Amino acid sequence: MTKRVLRRLLQLLGVVLSTAVLNFALLKALPGDLVDVIASESGSVTADYVAQLRQMYGLDRNAFEQLLSYLGRIAQGDLGFSFRFGEPVLGLVLDRLGPTLALVGTALSLSVLVGVLLGIAAARRPHGALDTVISALATLGYSAPMFWTALMLIVLFGVQLNWLPIGGLRDVSAGHAGLRLWLDYAHHLVLPALTLAIYYVAVYARLSRASMIETLAEDYIRTARAKGAGEARVIFVHALSNAVLPVLTMLGLQSSALLGGSIVVETVFGWPGLGQLSFEAIKSRDIPLLLAVLLLSGVLVVLTNLLVDLLQGQLDPRVRARLAIGGQVQAADAAEAA
Amino acid sequence: MKRWYLQPSILLGGSILLLVFAAALLAGVLYPGDPLDMVGAPFVWPGNDAAVPLGTDLMGRDLAAGLLHGARVSLLVGVSSALIALVIGIALGAAAGFYGGRVDAVLTRITEFFQTIPAFLLAIILVAVLQPSIGTIVFALGVTSWTSIARLVRAEFLSLREREFVKASIALGASDAHLIFREILPNAWTPVIVSTALLVANAILSEAGLSFLGLGDPNVVSWGSMIGLGRDALRTAWYMTAIPGVAIVLTVLGLNLLSDALHAALNPRLRRARQA
């Protein structure tokens, strides 16, 4: 157990390091640095000024030296300075981490809960009426682009019904404090979280339906039924822990996709999270900021995967054994193929 | 069990896709002009003017013309970027699964690394920096979406390599190329084909997302850019956003249904589960 966590943390370090190096290389390979952007934004600049800016940002040194100094600074917890926002990157990123985690966390918990329940309901009678309805809705939810779902929810709940706020983190002009402020946050969270959740409920419903159908066909389920276990007991005690394993695997695999999805959702709803920040950073070629967002999302993905592995080990002793020999990739592939 | 091609999902999915193909083919015939041209008064609601059955946008462009021309962009981007992803994914997955050992370790690390970067974010970065055009969008979506194919192909190769017909071929002195392309790959196609439909669907969704964010090719009409433009009139004229969105949903739905149906038809394990 401890050994596995340690191994994973070492792996985390490796991923962070290679993320840093490769992000850096990638961004260096792209034409146009931030000095070009500053220069083109300010209209007329002299060549002297450009050279001075390059020196100030350390862009006059060769790429290798820049990389080394970048890694050195990361090691000291210094992620650089965002010229777009005129602030240290670390503070900016940490400020935006909270709203993104709130959004993604809410959407994810909702999706897993509702998705797995729907999947179980559908799997009880494959190709029955309930299954047909749930499967059709899931396929539909899985097919709609998230930004479009967002806009349609805005039209319905924001404009026509006027029930929910359609943008921002809170109603600043109302000047709420304490509990009222938290309720206001929650009120603003509903639509963006719902948008993400609609897509992922569909994903998890499909996945858990497939895996539940397979699990319910297993011999040990027949044994449980033969011994007179009630239907609820068969599903929630005997089948569930095995049936949710692929869902968990998917959760780990999709954590980076979820962060990607939050870019669109955050942009539509003006939700001040990492997604919106990274889009801002791209638009303004704010390389230090972009590097920091990529680094942070890498860390989040690896940590999610670590969590998923641990949960899987708790749920399934076979996985625990497989993990010990480093075969978690096969387990993930099996789940993906299912 | 009914014949696999007669299942409702494959019939529905197939007809939707045929419709989208027809729209893409007929775009030039029915609407030969540039769909970016102004053809009438702006803000005409659908059904109010027979000349523009689906209405006009806030610049007076014909939504129906945009929809048909947009089908071309979606299919072109979807299919070509899926092809790029397939080539990369199959090459890396086959090499990792076939050679194993150190090759596998290195390639798997690379794949895992790409999985820690949000693919959509990487695609945005690539398109933003290389300048938005159909070509750069296809490239960006292709090089960011191969990881699932690589994992899938790797898993197939790992298991097929140990099968007896492969062992027999090795004993007969077959070359690596023969083993990879003639023996193993033909037996790994089924799951690859099923995922290819999903790849195309995801590429269409991603292209729409890029265009919506203003990172589409500015010279062509795409469903995503129509939604992005319609967003400015969301409060008063939501049909401008709704109509191209429905086109995306239907196309992606068609591909998903097709993928499901193929999965059910081609996967013997699932077929047995259904009969039981």
Side-chain angles (χ1 to χ4, degrees):
Chain A
M1 180 74 158
T2 332
K3 213 171 164 188
R4 204 166 77 236
V5 174
L6 275 178
R7 226 175 62 95
R8 267 301 171 129
L9 286 177
L10 258 175
Q11 211 178 334
L12 178 78
L13 200 67
V15 167
V16 170
L17 204 66
S18 51
T19 311
V21 173
L22 277 165
N23 286 342
F24 186 84
L26 178 74
L27 296 175
K28 275 294 147 195
L30 305 173
D33 58 27
L34 63 99
V35 171
D36 292 330
V37 178
I38 299 177
S40 70
E41 270 181 2
S42 57
S44 61
V45 280
T46 61
D48 277 353
Y49 181 56
V50 169
Q52 200 190 325
L53 277 176
R54 287 231 153 80
Q55 200 186 358
M56 196 173 109
Y57 288 109
L59 295 170
D60 55 340
R61 286 175 290 164
N62 73 36
F64 187 65
E65 280 174 14
Q66 287 186 43
L67 173 64
L68 282 186
S69 83
Y70 174 63
L71 287 177
R73 276 179 283 128
I74 291 183
Q76 295 163 25
D78 173 12
L79 291 179
F81 192 81
S82 160
F83 81 96
R84 165 55 99 215
F85 292 90
E87 290 180 45
V89 164
L90 187 64
L92 266 175
V93 169
L94 290 181
D95 271 355
R96 302 296 192 97
L97 184 62
T100 290
L101 287 182
L103 173 63
V104 170
T106 311
L108 210 58
S109 336
L110 199 66
S111 316
V112 171
L113 191 71
V114 178
V116 169
L117 286 178
L118 285 177
I120 291 175
R124 297 270 322 271
R125 274 178 213 289
H127 301 280
L130 187 63
D131 177 33
T132 307
V133 172
I134 291 176
S135 296
L137 285 179
T139 313
L140 202 62
Y142 183 72
S143 304
M146 259 185 257
F147 62 92
W148 186 72
T149 312
L151 293 174
M152 292 297 107
L153 288 175
I154 287 177
V155 168
L156 182 60
F157 294 107
V159 180
Q160 305 287 337
L161 297 170
N162 207 8
W163 286 352
L164 293 163
I166 57 172
L169 189 61
R170 66 193 182 106
D171 188 354
V172 183
S173 62
H176 292 309
L179 183 64
R180 300 284 295 267
L181 180 63
W182 287 105
L183 284 175
D184 194 37
Y185 282 139
H187 202 203
H188 281 78
L189 180 65
V190 176
L191 282 187
L194 196 60
T195 304
L196 270 175
I198 284 177
Y199 184 84
Y200 285 100
V201 163
V203 172
Y204 295 129
R206 285 165 56 99
L207 198 63
S208 53
R209 171 187 176 273
S211 111
M212 198 65 175
I213 289 178
E214 223 166 89
T215 308
L216 287 178
E218 300 270 350
D219 288 338
Y220 75 93
I221 296 292
R222 197 171 313 148
T223 311
R225 286 212 168 108
K227 282 160 76 180
E231 195 56 25
R233 190 178 159 78
V234 166
I235 286 180
F236 290 102
V237 178
H238 294 276
L240 188 63
S241 63
N242 274 326
V244 306
L245 283 174
V247 175
L248 272 180
T249 309
M250 195 62 150
L251 206 71
L253 280 174
Q254 278 190 327
S255 46
S256 80
L258 205 69
L259 286 170
S262 74
I263 297 175
V264 168
V265 175
E266 287 181 8
T267 308
V268 173
F269 288 102
W271 187 259
L274 284 178
Q276 214 192 19
L277 187 70
S278 54
F279 191 47
E280 283 289 313
I282 294 162
K283 280 195 294 189
S284 54
R285 299 278 193 282
D286 197 334
I287 309 265
L289 184 52
L290 200 52
L291 281 173
V293 174
L294 287 172
L295 196 63
L296 189 65
S297 70
V299 173
L300 282 179
V301 171
V302 177
L303 285 180
T304 315
N305 276 316
L306 174 64
L307 203 68
V308 165
D309 280 357
L310 293 177
L311 277 171
Q312 270 179 335
Q314 289 302 310
L315 281 171
D316 185 352
R318 283 173 307 173
V319 173
R320 218 173 309 163
R322 233 176 357 215
L323 279 173
I325 53 166
Q328 103 265 20
V329 172
Q330 279 108 304
D333 286 325
E336 213 167 65
Chain B
M1 193 180 127
K2 276 191 288 188
R3 285 173 199 269
W4 64 271
Y5 51 83
L6 286 181
Q7 284 173 39
S9 61
I10 213 166
L11 289 177
L12 185 62
S15 7
I16 293 173
L17 290 178
L18 280 180
L19 212 67
V20 179
F21 267 109
L25 285 176
L26 290 175
V29 182
L30 293 176
Y31 295 98
D34 187 343
L36 288 168
D37 285 344
M38 196 171 154
V39 296
F43 290 97
V44 176
W45 276 72
N48 283 349
D49 183 348
V52 281
L54 293 179
T56 59
D57 69 3
L58 60 178
M59 315 265 275
R61 298 168 189 158
D62 189 344
L63 282 182
L67 218 53
L68 262 60
H69 282 269
R72 291 182 163 186
V73 175
S74 286
L75 289 179
L76 181 71
V77 171
V79 172
S80 359
S81 55
L83 280 179
I84 295 181
L86 273 181
V87 170
I88 303 176
I90 290 177
L92 296 190
F98 186 79
Y99 292 107
R102 204 168 291 172
V103 178
D104 183 26
V106 170
L107 292 178
T108 303
R109 283 293 99 74
I110 293 176
T111 311
E112 278 176 358
F113 169 72
F114 269 89
Q115 283 178 324
T116 63
I117 310 178
F120 189 62
L121 179 58
L122 193 55
I124 292 180
I125 296 175
L126 290 174
V127 173
V129 176
L130 300 173
Q131 301 306 327
S133 75
I134 295 285
T136 56
I137 291 172
V138 166
F139 169 76
L141 295 180
V143 299
T144 52
S145 56
W146 53 268
T147 50
S148 61
I149 295 288
R151 298 172 64 105
L152 190 74
V153 171
R154 173 181 175 275
E156 287 289 315
F157 267 68
L158 277 180
S159 82
L160 287 170
R161 195 181 49 175
E162 304 303 324
R163 299 275 279 276
E164 280 178 7
F165 68 94
V166 177
K167 293 237 156 104
S169 219
I170 296 174
L172 289 171
S175 67
D176 285 359
H178 177 89
L179 289 171
I180 291 175
F181 292 107
R182 288 295 177 83
E183 303 288 344
I184 304 185
L185 203 51
N187 286 294
W189 276 127
T190 306
V192 172
I193 289 170
V194 172
S195 336
T196 302
L198 295 181
L199 270 185
V200 176
N202 279 329
I204 288 177
L205 285 176
S206 301
E207 186 278 332
L210 286 171
S211 302
F212 171 73
L213 290 175
L215 290 170
D217 189 327
N219 302 313
V220 299
V221 176
S222 95
W223 294 337
S225 64
M226 288 171 79
I227 295 177
L229 188 68
R231 188 187 168 193
D232 294 335
L234 193 64
R235 283 178 177 275
T236 49
W238 53 265
Y239 67 90
M240 289 176 199
T241 308
I243 291 172
V246 170
I248 299 174
V249 175
L250 283 178
T251 309
V252 175
L253 181 67
L255 286 161
N256 284 337
L257 286 175
L258 210 62
S259 161
D260 284 353
L262 288 173
H263 185 51
L266 302 173
N267 185 343
R269 208 160 45 122
L270 219 91
R271 213 164 9 190
R272 245 181 289 129
R274 184 176 306 171
Q275 279 161 350

